[in-house]
Structure formats: C-alpha cells, structure tokens
Amino acid sequence: MKSCFQQTLYLVLGALAIGVLVFALLSTGVLTLEAGSTASKVFFTTAAAISALGGLALAFRALRCDCSPALICAWLCSARCAGLGALGGVLTALAASLVASSAVLVNVGAALCLFFLTLLLGSTVCFLQQEAAAYCCSQSCCNPNCCNQNGF
C-alpha cells in the first residue's frame, strides 16, 4: 500500500490536472460556461450541493467512528483531504456564483470547483478503501498477510 504522503500527492496532482484541463478547455472555448447564465448557476449550485453533502457524510462518519488505531490512521491520511475538498468546493462554488460577472472568473471558479470535487471524491474513495482494509484485518476475514500488505 502506498504511504499517506504518496497517496495525498497523487490525489492532489490528479485533481490539479483535472482543474487545469477544465480551465484550458473553458478558456479556449471548447467548453462554454457563460457568466451569469442559467448553466453557470446550475453548475455552481450543483457543485456546492455535492461538496456540502460530501462534507456532511464525512462529519457523520466521524461521529460514528469506533476509533481503532487503523481507522485513526486512515482518517488522518484521507479524511483531511476530503474535508478540505468539501470546504473548498462549497466556498469556491459560492464565491464563483456571487462574482459571476466576468468570464475569466467563471472559468477559474469552475476549474477550482472541479479541483476540490476531485479531491473530495478521490479522498473519500481512498478513506473507504483504507477503512475496509482495517475492518478486514481486525475481523481476520482475509488472509494473514492482509494487515502486513495494508500497513495495519
């Protein structure tokens, strides 16, 4: 299993690549999202809703945590990025929808929203994978090498 730093680095670089790609596509006119249009309002509202739901799901999971050492390790590694993705997605979507008078600001806002959404979703998937591996090792439902391979 990858270390926490490698996993976080891959997530951030992947999310950054998606954000830059979307910004490039919006800037060159391949994709269009006009300032003040209904499409931009729907896009930013949807991005804010997905980010808020992801943040709420993360908060509910934190409240239900059984606090085993393996889950604490998974929480510290992946859930921090998911929380940053949720908070950044909500704040960016709200800010971009409020200052949607410029096409450049709409393009930057859309790219940042997709960066944070990718960070949120990727970190959530990694957290769930680590949580499942920790549960599997604690219940001995898999082979004995499971804990060694997953770092638990």
Side-chain angles (χ1 to χ4, degrees):
M1 184 174 190
K2 298 179 186 89
S3 71
C4 180
F5 175 75
Q6 287 176 328
Q7 180 180 350
T8 305
L9 182 66
Y10 293 153
L11 280 171
V12 169
L13 289 177
L16 187 62
I18 288 174
V20 169
L21 176 68
V22 167
F23 180 75
L25 291 173
L26 286 169
S27 308
T28 57
V30 174
L31 295 176
T32 57
L33 195 60
E34 296 177 7
S37 68
T38 304
S40 67
K41 291 177 186 176
V42 168
F43 175 80
F44 290 123
T45 303
T46 305
I50 291 171
S51 296
L53 288 174
L56 286 175
L58 190 66
F60 286 138
R61 184 62 191 115
L63 294 174
R64 292 187 51 227
C65 182
D66 63 355
C67 296
S68 68
L71 283 180
I72 291 172
C73 180
W75 183 263
L76 289 175
C77 183
S78 296
R80 287 183 300 183
C81 287
L84 287 174
L87 181 64
V90 169
L91 293 178
T92 303
L94 291 177
S97 65
L98 291 176
V99 293
S101 59
S102 169
V104 174
L105 291 177
V106 170
N107 293 348
V108 169
L112 282 174
C113 279
L114 287 176
F115 167 77
F116 284 121
L117 284 174
T118 304
L119 191 63
L120 167 68
L121 296 176
S123 297
T124 302
V125 167
C126 290
F127 173 70
L128 292 175
Q129 176 195 11
Q130 290 172 347
E131 184 179 34
Y135 178 77
C136 180
C137 290
S138 69
Q139 299 296 318
S140 299
C141 63
C142 55
N143 63 23
N145 295 326
C146 169
C147 299
N148 297 332
Q149 291 170 354
N150 290 308
F152 300 121

